[in-house]
Amino acid sequence: MLQQTQVKTVIPYFKKFTKNFKTLKSLSRCSEQKILKLWEGLGYYRRARNLLATSKVLVSEYNSKLPKTIKEIKTLPGVGNYTASALLGLVHNQPTIAVDGNVKRVFSRIINKQESKINFDQFIETNKRKLFNSKRNSDFVEALMEFGALVCKPKDPKCGVCNLNQNCKYFNSLKKIKTTKYKMIESKNYDVFCYVNKKRQIALTKKNNLGFLNQFSLPEIRESRKNIRTRDWKFLKKYKNSISNKKLNINLYYKFSNKIPSSFIWHSMDQNKEFIPTFTKKIFRQVSTLF
Ligand code: SF4
C-alpha cells in the first residue's frame, strides 16, 4: 500500500483492510471485486490483484507462510528482486538489503561515487561484514530506507546531525558528487469520450485497450492524434491526471445519447456499489458539472 503513497493516506485503508481480513486464508477467499473496492482510491490496483493472487499461492502451497528463499519468494505474483529482498529481511530477519533509490543514494554518497558507476550487488557483497554486523536485519532493512528518505535526502541532506558524517566521503570531500536525478516521466495526451444521459448516468466499458487500467470501468479513451474525428462530440474540459507512474493530459468530450455501443453499461455518477477507479471518478466529477 505504501508504494508511491504517503503513510497518512494509507492508514485508514490499512485499518479497513486488516479489519476485513484477519488471516491470510480469509484474504485468499475474497473476491477480486471486494479487494478492489477496499483498495478504491489508493491507485496502483495491480498491487491489490497481486496481493490476492499471492495469498492464494501462500495458502495452497506454503501452508500460509512466506517461503524462506529468494528464489521461491520471487515466484509469487508481482514480487520482483526488490520486494523479495525486503520481505526476506523484514519477515525472516535475513541479511538482505532492498536496494531502492534511497538506498542507492546513501551508499553512493558514503563513498562519494556516482550511482551509475556502482555495482550495488557487488558493493553489498564486498561490505557484507560491515553491513550485517548485528542480528537485527529486519530493522536494518527498514532503517536504511528511512534514513535515505529522512536524513540523507535527495536535496539538502542533514549532514550536520548525521551519525555517519565522520566516515562519509561526500560530507568530508571538497569535490562532492552530483546527486542522481531520476528522469521525470513524460506526459501523454489522451481523448476521453463520455456517453451521458439525462438520468445522470455515464456509459462505461471494460474493453479499453490501454494496457494500464485494463479491465476497469472507463469511458472510451484513446491516445490523442492529430486530425482525430471529434465533430459528433462536444468538448468539455482539459485537465491533468496521474495514474500509477504515468502522467496524462486529458481532453474530455461528451455526448448526450440514449444509444450506446454493446460493450458499454450505464453507471450512475452518484452511487456505485462496484469498484470504480479514481480516474473514472474524476471524470464523473467533471461530467456532473453539465447538470
Ligand atoms: S553525512 Fe550527509 S551525505 Fe553522508 S550519509 Fe550522512 S546525510 Fe548522507
Side-chain angles (χ1 to χ4, degrees), residues 109-110 147 151-152 157 159 162 165 168 170-171:
R109 281 187 179 152
I110 288 173
F147 178 75
V151 182
C152 196
C159 302
C162 174
N165 62 15
C168 174
Y170 178 91
F171 179 66

Side-chain angles (χ1 to χ4, degrees), residues 41-45 184-192 194 210 212-213 217-219 221 237-252 276-286:
L42 263 184
Y44 290 86
Y45 296 103
M184 288 292 288
I185 308 147
E186 272 181 42
S187 53
K188 272 191 178 176
N189 301 332
Y190 289 90
D191 296 325
V192 175
C194 304
L210 264 189
F212 57 99
L213 281 179
S217 299
L218 303 165
I221 171 163
K237 206 171 173 176
K238 208 180 183 81
Y239 64 94
K240 291 184 193 302
N241 201 144
S242 301
I243 303 179
S244 304
N245 58 355
K246 294 178 177 54
K247 290 190 172 174
L248 282 61
N249 299 319
I250 304 287
N251 299 309
L252 189 60
I276 300 285
T278 309
F279 176 79
T280 307
K281 283 186 174 169
K282 265 191 193 162
I283 294 171
F284 285 5
R285 281 201 292 279
Q286 311 294 347

